[in-house]
Amino acid sequence: GRLYLNKVFHISATKMFELLFTDSIFIRRFMNVRKITNASFTPWQKDASGNMKRTLNYTITISNPLIGKFSTATEHQTMYKESRDGHYLVDSEVYTHDVPYHDYFYTQNHYSIKSNSKRKCRLRVYTDVKYKKQPWGLIKSFITKNSWSGIEDYFRQLEAELLEEEVDINQGGGES
Ligand code: YK8
């Protein structure tokens, strides 16, 4: 896997969780910026093992002549039951349904939001491209290369938007 984001924000862990993993104004705006449309979220629900699960469906804009313009995607998120106020652990699996070779791979993201102090947290995101079946070597490197660049771009922008949100939150004037 690769570590795409590893940064301390002046945002509490709980607030960070709300921004990224609820139907927040922040995530709606971010999706808008990324041209992610038709988003729908199921509510978090406890599964048999005690973890929380939810599913997101959306359409991503790709604009790569080799790949296409759009793809529908499904993201399955699991928040582990070990998560509590100070430390949230969320795994997500992203399936892009309409790209070439979509039945060969998916993307796995591990998010860790860990409280640093009352108003700070560290956000880490690990990503892995997973193969359901082994494609021919050249195809595999094509998939991997295209995936990394798309993922890198996404998390670079997420970091930038979070830095702006951090400013907004901390300009609030003494509010926690
Ligand atoms: C989530 C990983 C691969 C995929 C894409 C596939 C190209 C296929 C290349 C071949 C388009 C929001 C990505 C980047 C789409 C976007 C996905 C996002 C950013 C074989 C021709 C969507 C996080 C996420 C994870 C995986 C990303 C896809 O929250 O290159």
Side-chain angles (χ1 to χ4, degrees), residues 54-90:
R54 68 170 191 160
T55 301
L56 287 71
N57 282 293
Y58 44 77
T59 304
I60 54 166
T61 305
I62 306 167
S63 310
N64 179 330
L66 290 175
I67 302 170
K69 277 195 164 167
F70 305 100
S71 174
T72 57
T74 303
E75 181 166 346
H76 298 288
Q77 295 181 341
T78 304
M79 172 163 66
Y80 290 99
K81 57 172 178 255
E82 291 74 22
S83 299
R84 58 188 79 92
D85 269 3
H87 196 180
Y88 298 88
L89 288 167
V90 178

Side-chain angles (χ1 to χ4, degrees), residues 55-163:
T55 301
L56 287 71
N57 282 293
Y58 44 77
T59 304
I60 54 166
T61 305
I62 306 167
S63 310
N64 179 330
L66 290 175
I67 302 170
K69 277 195 164 167
F70 305 100
S71 174
T72 57
T74 303
E75 181 166 346
H76 298 288
Q77 295 181 341
T78 304
M79 172 163 66
Y80 290 99
K81 57 172 178 255
E82 291 74 22
S83 299
R84 58 188 79 92
D85 269 3
H87 196 180
Y88 298 88
L89 288 167
V90 178
D91 275 4
S92 94
E93 287 180 356
V94 182
Y95 296 83
T96 44
H97 306 299
D98 309 312
V99 301
Y101 308 104
H102 60 88
D103 48 337
Y104 282 88
F105 73 100
Y106 64 96
T107 306
Q108 198 169 58
N109 300 314
H110 301 277
Y111 293 83
S112 157
I113 302 170
K114 196 171 184 174
S115 174
N116 245 12
S117 68
K118 208 176 159 200
R119 290 195 180 85
K120 281 191 202 169
C121 72
R122 179 180 293 275
L123 171 65
R124 282 200 188 88
V125 185
Y126 266 105
T127 297
D128 235 333
V129 179
K130 296 276 187 186
Y131 288 89
K132 288 187 279 182
K133 37 184 184 180
Q134 286 302 316
W136 184 45
L138 210 72
I139 303 293
K140 191 172 176 176
S141 63
F142 187 50
I143 295 172
T144 309
K145 191 170 153 272
N146 277 285
S147 298
W148 288 141
S149 65
I151 295 163
E152 190 176 350
D153 193 57
Y154 180 86
F155 286 114
R156 199 187 303 122
Q157 193 161 20
L158 181 64
E159 177 176 331
E161 295 288 324
L162 280 171
L163 287 171

Side-chain angles (χ1 to χ4, degrees), residues 6-77:
N6 180 16
K7 203 172 171 60
V8 174
F9 292 90
H10 287 246
I11 297 175
S12 73
T14 306
K15 181 74 185 173
M16 183 64 85
F17 176 81
E18 280 172 21
L19 293 177
L20 299 180
F21 296 108
T22 67
D23 192 355
S24 65
I25 294 168
F26 172 83
I27 207 73
R28 287 281 176 187
R29 208 193 308 124
F30 182 62
M31 285 180 149
N32 236 14
V33 172
R34 297 294 312 179
K35 299 199 179 104
I36 296 174
T37 58
N38 301 320
S40 69
F41 308 64
T42 65
W44 284 107
Q45 265 182 324
K46 201 175 255 175
D47 72 1
S49 59
N51 298 323
M52 303 293 275
K53 295 219 154 142
R54 68 170 191 160
T55 301
L56 287 71
N57 282 293
Y58 44 77
T59 304
I60 54 166
T61 305
I62 306 167
S63 310
N64 179 330
L66 290 175
I67 302 170
K69 277 195 164 167
F70 305 100
S71 174
T72 57
T74 303
E75 181 166 346
H76 298 288
Q77 295 181 341

